[in-house]
Amino acid sequence: MRATSASTESGTGTVTTAVPARLDRLPWSRWHWMIVIGLGTVWILDGLEVTIVGNIAGRLAEEGSGLDISAAQVTGVAAALYVAGACSGALFFGWLTDRHGRKKLFMITLAVYLGATAMTALSFESWWFFLFRFLTGFGIGGEYAAINSAIDELIPSLYRGRVDLIINGSYWLGAIGGALLSIVMLDTDIFPKDVGWRLSFALGVVLGLVILLVRRHVPESPRWQFIHGRGEEAEELVGSVEREIEAEKGAELPPPAGRITIHQRTSIGFGTIAKTVFRRYPRRAVLGLALFIGQAFLYNAVTFGFGTILITFFDVPTGSTGYYFAVIAAGNFLGPLLLGRLFDTVGRRIMIAGTYLLSGLLLFGTAWLFDRGSLTATTLTACWCVVLFFASAGASSAYLTVSEIFPMETRAMAIAFFYALGTAAGGISGPLVFAELTESGVVGDTVLAFQIGAALMCAAGIVAAFLAVKAERRSLEDIAEPLSAVRDGEESAGV
């Protein structure tokens, strides 16, 4: 039943393998849950941290916080530095991930992320806070590249869309925790002003250490192994997983549906990656950029400043903004959770275009109501909850899209590139612009920020309607043939 493949230690041989087909035909099992928990839970940490920073902005600006910093600097400069770090980390670690493997890098990036978060808790000057916000982002950017590539290569094609969306959407579980945690930590009856916000970061580090222990059991991607001259390791790993699942299900697995022959290689240069992405797949490149720019501006601009909007326009106390943020965070998580399955059944194109367009139109409506003065803190939060229910599913699909529409050898680097470029355009400029607009206290300025985010989401939705790839339930190798693939008529030395 099981296929085998030849392998060479030098990484320059030619092998034929059924590893991709064997992975794709696996039923859902405890092994897959281990992958989801080990890799996906870090998004909870990211959501926890970003939300805490957004909610403690007002507290950090108060006298006695232990830092000489303004709320605009926290939601503007610090937020932009965090995103700049994430862009840099994605590119740096993305290159290393394609070269040295998924497992090694998703352990290193989490360690970087945790170390920088711990140092943020010890901030005593604004420059220290800014520095370690950058380094925290540097680690999380690497996480995006290493983890999304590993998830899509390990999860069967039947479930890939919904699993990827839900894992990326789990960020908002962390956001809920961060919002509620900030309420407790900002309560001066419990903790002094200069202690509570530090403990918020420290608790995130503790959670991250637990995730680090779980992640040790997540394997390397067999798809990465067989291309990089480790075919025997890939065969051994997949074989052990098959035996484990057969024992769990009490039935033998069906035979795999096909093989692929590839030239093994140890690395791939930036030049080849660039040619592949922009010359071979120019329409897909435009799609990736549009999706990332749209969602990056909306999320990095608006969520970093949501607490400031509540305080500035609705006189919500600093210690109470967490309640409101917990509500919109719940809407964000429910979007991918409830809509994720439709990306595998109804299809990528309809769902990606639909979620982007609908969230953009709803945001235009929210801006109109806000401009008229028709909203309260509660009704604004309700509007945002509905907008982000759809926007969250769309934003998560951006990571899924760039992960599955480019060849295996470029996957982590493609994720890193589009994340970095799209996020740099919307994620660095967004917080800087939005912080100025919301801090002004002028309704029209905040309305303008809403309208810019809405317009970019709608534009991305239109691009997706024409260019999105029908990748649902297809193997990664079918969506984008590996650069190392041997076509019919070429020499093959595998079995």
Side-chain angles (χ1 to χ4, degrees):
M1 180 195 74
R2 296 187 178 89
T4 59
S5 68
S7 177
T8 63
E9 293 300 320
S10 65
T12 58
T14 302
V15 299
T16 298
T17 180
V19 161
R22 292 163 67 187
L23 289 169
D24 280 336
R25 63 69 150 102
L26 295 176
W28 193 260
S29 66
R30 288 192 296 265
W31 185 77
H32 295 107
W33 277 117
M34 182 266 292
I35 301 297
V36 170
I37 294 172
L39 296 182
T41 44
V42 76
W43 280 191
I44 297 176
L45 273 181
D46 188 22
L48 181 77
E49 170 141 350
V50 171
T51 306
I52 286 174
V53 172
N55 285 321
I56 68 173
R59 174 55 46 81
L60 287 174
E62 295 175 3
E63 187 176 352
S65 70
L67 282 181
D68 182 15
I69 195 171
S70 69
Q73 285 179 311
V74 176
T75 59
V77 177
L81 285 171
Y82 178 88
V83 175
C87 294
S88 304
L91 292 171
F92 178 70
F93 289 119
W95 174 70
L96 292 178
T97 297
D98 278 334
R99 189 178 183 87
H100 298 291
R102 285 45 170 143
K103 182 178 178 65
K104 185 178 295 184
L105 268 297
F106 63 57
M107 296 296 287
I108 293 173
T109 53
L110 181 56
V112 171
Y113 175 62
L114 293 178
T117 301
M119 298 306 287
T120 302
L122 301 177
S123 297
F124 58 92
E125 292 284 353
S126 58
W127 67 265
W128 181 282
F129 185 80
F130 293 149
L131 171 62
F132 285 101
R133 289 307 295 159
F134 175 85
L135 292 176
T136 301
F138 193 74
I140 201 62
E143 286 278 290
Y144 280 119
I147 290 180
N148 277 291
S149 55
I151 288 171
D152 284 353
E153 290 167 9
L154 291 168
I155 298 299
S157 57
L158 184 65
Y159 309 100
R160 188 175 60 243
R162 72 196 75 176
V163 170
D164 198 296
L165 260 68
I166 292 172
I167 285 178
N168 279 284
S170 69
Y171 169 100
W172 295 102
L173 288 178
I176 295 172
L180 298 177
L181 181 63
S182 68
I183 295 171
V184 177
M185 294 302 174
L186 294 179
D187 189 341
T188 53
D189 291 332
I190 302 175
F191 300 105
K193 285 185 177 181
D194 62 341
V195 173
W197 65 269
R198 299 180 190 275
L199 291 178
S200 299
F201 288 111
L203 289 175
V205 173
V206 173
L207 178 59
L209 289 173
V210 174
I211 295 174
L212 190 63
L213 294 175
V214 175
R215 189 173 286 186
R216 293 183 307 164
H217 303 291
V218 177
E220 180 57 84
S221 163
R223 283 178 157 103
W224 182 88
Q225 287 177 321
F226 76 72
I227 282 184
H228 288 79
R230 301 181 183 179
E232 292 180 358
E233 294 177 29
E235 293 291 337
E236 182 179 349
L237 172 57
V238 176
S240 67
V241 173
E242 289 172 329
R243 290 188 293 272
E244 178 183 329
I245 292 177
E246 286 179 337
E248 176 186 338
K249 303 297 182 182
E252 187 171 297
L253 294 170
R259 298 184 178 190
I260 185 171
T261 300
I262 58 98
H263 290 300
Q264 294 176 312
R265 61 173 78 193
T266 56
S267 63
I268 183 171
F270 280 111
T272 303
I273 293 174
K275 289 179 182 178
T276 300
V277 172
F278 293 104
R279 290 187 182 179
R280 187 172 177 180
Y281 298 106
R283 291 164 60 90
R284 298 184 182 189
V286 171
L287 172 67
L289 285 175
L291 296 182
F292 266 98
I293 290 174
Q295 66 87 27
F297 189 94
L298 179 71
Y299 276 97
N300 287 294
V302 176
T303 57
F304 273 126
F306 184 69
T308 303
I309 294 174
L310 295 177
I311 295 169
T312 302
F313 295 102
F314 302 106
D315 297 321
V316 174
T318 301
S320 300
T321 58
Y323 291 112
Y324 296 91
F325 202 93
V327 173
I328 67 168
N332 270 289
F333 177 66
L334 289 174
L337 180 66
L338 299 179
L339 300 177
R341 184 174 179 274
L342 299 179
F343 283 77
D344 285 322
T345 54
V346 174
R348 303 283 202 266
R349 177 172 294 179
I350 292 175
M351 291 305 300
I352 295 173
T355 51
Y356 269 79
L357 284 168
L358 188 54
S359 62
L361 293 174
L362 289 170
L363 182 51
F364 272 124
T366 301
W368 178 71
L369 292 173
F370 186 83
D371 189 38
R372 291 186 55 188
S374 302
L375 298 176
T376 64
T378 301
T379 54
L380 174 65
T381 302
C383 288
W384 268 108
C385 191
V386 176
V387 169
L388 297 178
F389 175 85
F390 296 102
S392 181
S396 295
S397 72
Y399 295 93
L400 167 67
T401 298
V402 298
S403 177
E404 64 184 2
I405 64 175
F406 295 105
M408 160 74 203
E409 298 89 338
T410 70
R411 181 160 295 120
M413 199 59 213
I415 296 169
F417 175 79
F418 287 102
Y419 170 79
L421 198 57
T423 302
I428 296 177
S429 61
L432 290 173
V433 172
F434 200 77
E436 293 295 327
L437 292 175
T438 56
E439 193 180 47
S440 72
V442 178
V443 170
D445 289 346
T446 299
V447 170
L448 176 61
F450 287 178
Q451 291 173 335
I452 293 172
L456 289 171
M457 288 296 282
C458 287
I462 294 172
V463 171
F466 289 96
L467 301 183
V469 178
K470 295 181 179 181
E472 58 273 10
R473 302 192 177 196
R474 294 170 61 190
S475 72
L476 295 172
E477 291 73 22
D478 181 41
I479 299 168
E481 184 182 56
L483 301 180
S484 308
V486 178
R487 294 178 174 82
D488 293 339
E490 295 186 56
E491 182 181 358
S492 174
V495 289

